[in-house]
Amino acid sequence: MTTTPPPPFDPELAAALAVMGEQAPTTLLPEWIPMVRGLGDDGPFDLPTNEELSRDGAFEVEERTVPGPEGAPDISLLICRPTAAPGPRPVLYHSHGGGFVLGNNRLGLGVTMEWAAELGLVVVSVEYRLAPEHPHPAPAEDCYAGLLWTAENAKEIGGDPDRIILAGGSAGGGLSAALALLARDRKGPRAIGQMLLCPMLDDRNDTPSTYQMAGLGVWDRTANETGWGALLGEARGTVDVSPYAAPARAEDLSGLPPAFIDVGSAETFRDEDVAYASRIWQSGGQAELHVWPGGFHAFDDLAPQAALSQDARAARLRWLHRLLGE
């Protein structure tokens, strides 16, 4: 594909990216996965402790083991419930990022807990099996099993089973979109919204933005191929890919919960995320789409002090307020 230069990075984000250097790696090769997972006790990420998640006692933090998919191991749910907000409170069901190959159920919770503190949400974050050791459908089915348990036991953890919001960033955004499709098609728990942050939706890796961002920013075209290849193996890019693995493959996007989708203009996932929002509208659904000019992948998490990051975080919080009517 003939490519044109990508949109420039936001100047403030470009400066932050330069300072971060190797802490915000551009790419990932399959042979690097074991090494990256081995960086520190928790891998390459700065993960919150229980004490940090409790926010000075505002949340009770619990790790709970619940049944996994039929015939598969149990899964772990990290549950954070507000101690002062009277229940039952809305539940935010979180699936973490990491390209399907990295991370655990604490990854990405920093931003999520800000929403929970503002709105008194119960947060449930699922630990799913990682690829390539556990290819599709293991991650999606683990997330779905955790969602079933959450809906059936919401009242026990102070939650409202009729007000569950699916949320996640990057691969977690893709899994959240997949959960919305699975729940619709299996007549499972009906979420009231899906918060898809720079979601990883399309295994084909062939949009103009995937080519524009090759070798640039965070999570480039090669990293994307590594993640999808780990999840799907030789099926990646073929007609055999399930929409529950790559939601962009779904032919029908009707009947889904309202979606919030945001993405940077200078990142690999820009075009597939814009297309997904457009297809929801074309199917008669609701989607709020934000394309942040000059934003790289996960810019708000990696450079939270930047003005664009503050705008993105404020927009998400406003959407949650409107969704919940609170």
Side-chain angles (χ1 to χ4, degrees):
M1 173 179 284
T2 301
T3 60
T4 55
F9 291 127
D10 170 86
E12 194 177 9
L13 293 179
L17 195 60
V19 170
M20 284 185 282
E22 294 183 355
Q23 293 179 328
T26 298
T27 198
L28 179 70
L29 295 173
E31 57 269 31
W32 296 355
I33 293 173
M35 180 272 291
V36 174
R37 286 180 182 170
L39 292 175
D41 293 338
D42 298 317
F45 308 109
D46 184 16
L47 301 175
T49 64
N50 281 5
E51 183 178 1
E52 290 167 333
L53 291 172
S54 78
R55 301 175 75 93
D56 295 325
F59 288 86
E60 181 179 296
V61 181
E62 174 189 11
E63 286 266 12
R64 187 174 292 205
T65 300
V66 306
E70 184 175 355
D74 291 344
I75 57 175
S76 174
L77 299 179
L78 179 62
I79 301 169
C80 305
R81 47 187 163 190
T83 54
R89 298 300 304 157
V91 178
L92 194 141
Y93 186 77
H94 176 259
S95 303
H96 70 80
F100 303 115
V101 299
L102 303 170
N104 62 32
N105 59 7
R106 293 174 186 265
L107 180 60
L109 279 190
V111 173
T112 304
M113 292 305 294
E114 291 180 8
W115 307 337
E118 170 81 12
L119 289 156
L121 307 178
V122 176
V123 174
V124 179
S125 189
V126 59
E127 181 95 9
Y128 57 84
R129 289 170 288 172
L130 298 176
E133 297 89 339
H134 303 285
H136 179 76
E141 292 295 347
D142 284 356
C143 292
Y144 190 72
L147 177 62
L148 288 177
W149 185 93
T150 299
E152 292 169 358
N153 298 274
K155 292 180 180 177
E156 180 186 340
I157 58 174
D160 183 346
D162 296 322
R163 290 195 294 170
I164 296 176
I165 304 163
L166 308 172
S170 195
L175 287 165
S176 297
L179 285 177
L181 293 168
L182 279 167
R184 179 197 65 181
D185 298 345
R186 295 178 179 177
K187 303 187 186 310
R190 175 72 179 175
I192 62 168
Q194 46 179 334
M195 173 79 86
L196 312 180
L197 308 180
C198 50
M200 188 173 176
L201 300 170
D202 196 337
D203 62 290
R204 289 165 288 197
N205 204 22
D206 62 357
T207 63
S209 58
T210 67
Y211 285 93
Q212 281 184 313
M213 298 309 299
L216 296 172
V218 176
W219 196 260
D220 74 345
R221 177 177 169 76
T222 298
N224 206 33
E225 184 173 322
T226 296
W228 283 114
L231 185 71
L232 299 172
E234 294 183 355
R236 187 186 74 80
T238 72
V239 296
D240 296 328
V241 174
S242 165
Y244 307 134
R249 298 297 195 118
E251 295 183 359
D252 178 11
L253 295 183
S254 64
L256 298 174
F260 180 101
I261 301 173
D262 75 355
V263 67
S265 69
E267 73 161 282
T268 298
F269 298 147
R270 180 195 66 217
D271 294 338
E272 64 194 62
D273 292 355
V274 170
Y276 200 73
S278 297
R279 292 186 55 218
I280 289 176
W281 296 322
Q282 291 159 10
S283 300
Q286 290 186 6
E288 178 169 325
L289 172 68
H290 294 261
V291 181
W292 300 103
F296 53 76
H297 186 59
F299 65 92
D300 65 290
D301 200 25
L302 293 169
Q305 76 286 352
L308 202 69
S309 301
Q310 296 296 313
D311 286 349
R313 291 184 172 209
R316 296 166 190 168
L317 200 51
R318 285 195 296 269
W319 182 79
L320 285 171
H321 274 292
R322 291 198 303 276
L323 181 72
L324 295 170
E326 296 183 0

